[in-house]
C-alpha cells in the first residue's frame, strides 16, 4: 500500500477539490476571481502553518534552491493559475472549466520530460490517456440549457487554458523541489500558498487597490460557511495532499489523478437539488466514468 501513497493522495485531493468547486459556486458571485483567490490564501496560510507546527514539520526558510523553486511555483500556480481558474469558473461554470483542466496532465508530462528528463512509462501513458478519454466523454456530454446556464466565451476559454498551463508549470516546479531537495510536502504546501498570497496582495495593491478595500463588503453578501468549508477542503487539505502526491509519483501521473474531480462530481451532484445544477445520470456519463476508472486501475497494477 505504501507504493500507492501518491496515487491515493492525488485521488483524495481530487475528491476534496470537486466538493470545493461546488461550494465556491454556492458561496455567491460577489467576490471576483482575484478576491476569491486572496481570501482563499489568507484563510489557508494560517491553517497550514498551524498544521506544520503541531506536527513538528515546520521549517524555517533557508533560502535554498528548493525553497525558491516552491515560492516561484506558488506565484505561477496559485497567484496566476488559481486566479485564472476562478475566472474560468465564473464565466464557463464548473463543468466546462474542469474540461479544460484536462490540458494540465499533458502539459505537466511534456514540461517534466523537456526540462527534467522525467519520462513516463508506457503503461502510465496508456492509463493517463484512458482516464482523460473517459472524463472527456463525461464532460463533453450536452446538457440542457437549464442545467448549464452558461455561454462559452473566448475570455473564459483563454482563462481555462491559461489556468491549466500555470498549474502544470507550478506542479512540475514543486515536483523538482520535493524530489531533488528532500522537502516535506506540508512545508511545500505552506511555501506555495504563502508565496501565491503575498504575490497576489502586492499585485492588487499596485494595480487595483480598490479590490482589496471592497473585499470586506463583498464578503457580507457571501455565504461564509460555504466559503470557509470550500477553502478548508479545496486548499488547506487538497494542496497538502497534492504536494504529497507529487512527492511520490511522476507529475504527469499526479496531474492526471488530480484531474479526476469530475468523476467525484457525478455521485455528488446526483444528490443535489435541480436548482443547484444537478446533472442527469446518463448511460454516456456512466460509460465515461467506468472507462476512467479502468485507467486508474491500470496505475495501481
Amino acid at each position: 500500500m505504501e507504493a500507492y501513497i501518491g496515487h491515493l493522495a492525488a485521488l483524495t485531493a481530487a475528491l476534496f477539490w470537486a466538493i470545493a468547486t461546488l461550494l465556491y459556486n454556492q458561496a455567491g458571485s460577489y467576490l471576483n476571481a482575484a478576491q476569491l483567490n486572496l481570501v482563499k490564501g489568507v484563510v489557508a496560510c494560517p491553517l497550514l502553518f498551524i498544521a506544520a507546527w503541531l506536527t513538528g514539520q515546520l521549517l524555517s526558510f533557508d533560502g535554498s534552491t528548493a525553497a525558491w523553486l516552491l515560492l516561484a511555483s506558488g506565484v505561477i500556480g496559485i497567484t496566476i493559475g488559481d486566479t485564472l481558474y476562478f475566472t474560468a469558473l465564473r464565466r464557463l461554470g464548473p463543468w466546462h472549466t474542469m474540461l479544460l483542466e484536462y490540458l494540465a496532465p499533458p502539459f505537466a508530462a511534456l514540461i517534466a520530460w523537456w526540462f527534467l528528463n522525467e519520462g513516463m512509462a508506457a503503461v502510465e501513458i496508456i492509463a493517463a490517456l484512458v482516464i482523460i478519454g473517459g472524463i472527456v466523454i463525461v464532460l463533453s456530454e450536452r446538457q440542457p440549457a437549464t442545467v448549464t446556464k452558461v455561454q462559452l466565451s473566448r475570455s473564459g476559454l483563454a482563462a481555462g487554458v491559461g489556468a491549466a498551463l500555470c498549474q502544470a508549470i507550478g506542479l512540475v516546479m514543486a515536483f523538482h523541489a520535493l524530489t531533488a531537495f528532500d522537502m516535506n510536502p506540508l512545508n511545500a504546501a505552506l511555501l506555495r500558498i504563502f508565496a501565491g498570497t503575498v504575490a497576489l496582495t502586492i499585485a492588487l495593491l499596485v494595480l487595483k487597490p480598490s479590490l482589496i478595500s471592497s473585499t470586506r463588503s463583498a464578503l457580507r453578501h457571501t455565504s461564509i460557511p460555504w466559503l470557509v468549508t470550500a477553502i478548508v477542503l479545496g486548499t488547506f487539505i487538497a494542496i497538502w495532499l497534492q504536494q504529497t502526491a507529487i512527492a511520490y509519483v511522476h507529475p504527469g501521473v499526479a496531474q492526471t489523478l488530480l484531474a479526476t474531480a469530475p468523476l467525484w462530481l457525478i455521485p455528488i451532484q446526483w444528490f443535489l437539488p435541480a436548482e443547484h445544477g444537478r446533472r442527469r445520470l446518463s448511460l454516456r456519463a456512466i460509460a465515461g466514468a467506468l472507462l476512467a476508472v479502468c485507467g486508474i486501475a491500470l496505475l495501481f497494477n
Side-chain angles (χ1 to χ4, degrees):
M1 183 60 68
E2 187 176 349
Y4 300 121
I5 288 177
H7 301 74
L8 294 172
L11 288 171
T12 309
L15 167 61
F16 288 145
W17 184 244
I19 298 172
T21 298
L22 292 177
L23 293 177
Y24 280 127
N25 242 23
Q26 296 300 320
S29 57
Y30 290 95
L31 291 166
N32 68 21
Q35 289 173 318
L36 186 55
N37 199 8
L38 180 64
V39 172
K40 170 178 71 72
V42 168
V43 174
C45 275
L47 293 176
L48 286 166
F49 179 88
I50 292 170
W53 179 64
L54 290 176
T55 57
Q57 299 182 58
L58 185 62
L59 300 176
S60 60
F61 180 78
D62 58 3
S64 65
T65 302
W68 286 112
L69 271 172
L70 288 166
L71 291 177
S73 168
V75 173
I76 295 172
I78 294 171
T79 304
I80 303 174
D82 283 3
T83 299
L84 289 173
Y85 181 86
F86 288 131
T87 300
L89 187 62
R90 291 283 186 256
R91 297 180 183 183
L92 302 178
W95 286 93
H96 289 104
T97 300
M98 286 185 172
L99 178 59
L100 292 172
E101 282 296 289
Y102 293 102
L103 294 173
F107 281 159
L110 287 172
I111 293 167
W113 170 71
W114 185 263
F115 289 101
L116 304 180
N117 199 28
E118 289 279 346
M120 293 172 64
V123 68
E124 291 176 334
I125 295 174
I126 294 170
L129 291 174
V130 171
I131 293 169
I132 294 171
I135 299 172
V136 167
I137 289 173
V138 173
L139 290 181
S140 60
E141 182 181 27
R142 286 185 173 272
Q143 291 290 309
T146 55
V147 173
T148 58
K149 298 181 181 179
V150 293
Q151 295 291 328
L152 297 182
S153 66
R154 290 183 180 179
S155 61
L157 293 171
V161 173
L165 179 59
C166 287
Q167 288 176 10
I169 295 171
L171 186 132
V172 172
M173 294 173 73
F175 168 80
H176 184 52
L178 284 162
T179 55
F181 300 99
D182 195 27
M183 173 74 69
N184 74 68
L186 183 52
N187 271 277
L190 176 57
L191 278 176
R192 292 192 72 209
I193 286 288
F194 176 77
T197 304
V198 170
L200 180 59
T201 302
I202 294 172
L204 290 178
L205 286 171
V206 172
L207 300 175
K208 203 165 185 181
S210 60
L211 277 181
I212 294 181
S213 59
S214 64
T215 299
R216 180 178 295 181
S217 60
L219 283 172
R220 295 194 189 103
H221 303 284
T222 302
S223 174
I224 300 300
W226 288 124
L227 181 60
V228 171
T229 305
I231 292 170
V232 170
L233 293 178
T235 304
F236 168 53
I237 299 177
I239 197 169
W240 187 354
L241 290 168
Q242 180 201 59
Q243 300 309 299
T244 301
I246 61 178
Y248 285 89
V249 295
H250 184 281
V253 174
Q255 187 66 71
T256 301
L257 292 174
L258 288 165
T260 56
L263 296 184
W264 296 109
L265 279 178
I266 291 175
I268 292 169
Q269 286 206 321
W270 179 247
F271 295 100
L272 290 177
E275 61 270 18
H276 289 166
R278 182 178 66 193
R279 284 175 66 95
R280 57 188 175 84
L281 191 60
S282 65
L283 289 176
R284 175 173 176 156
I286 295 172
L290 290 175
L291 180 62
V293 169
C294 290
I296 293 171
L298 279 177
L299 293 175
F300 281 84
N301 287 331

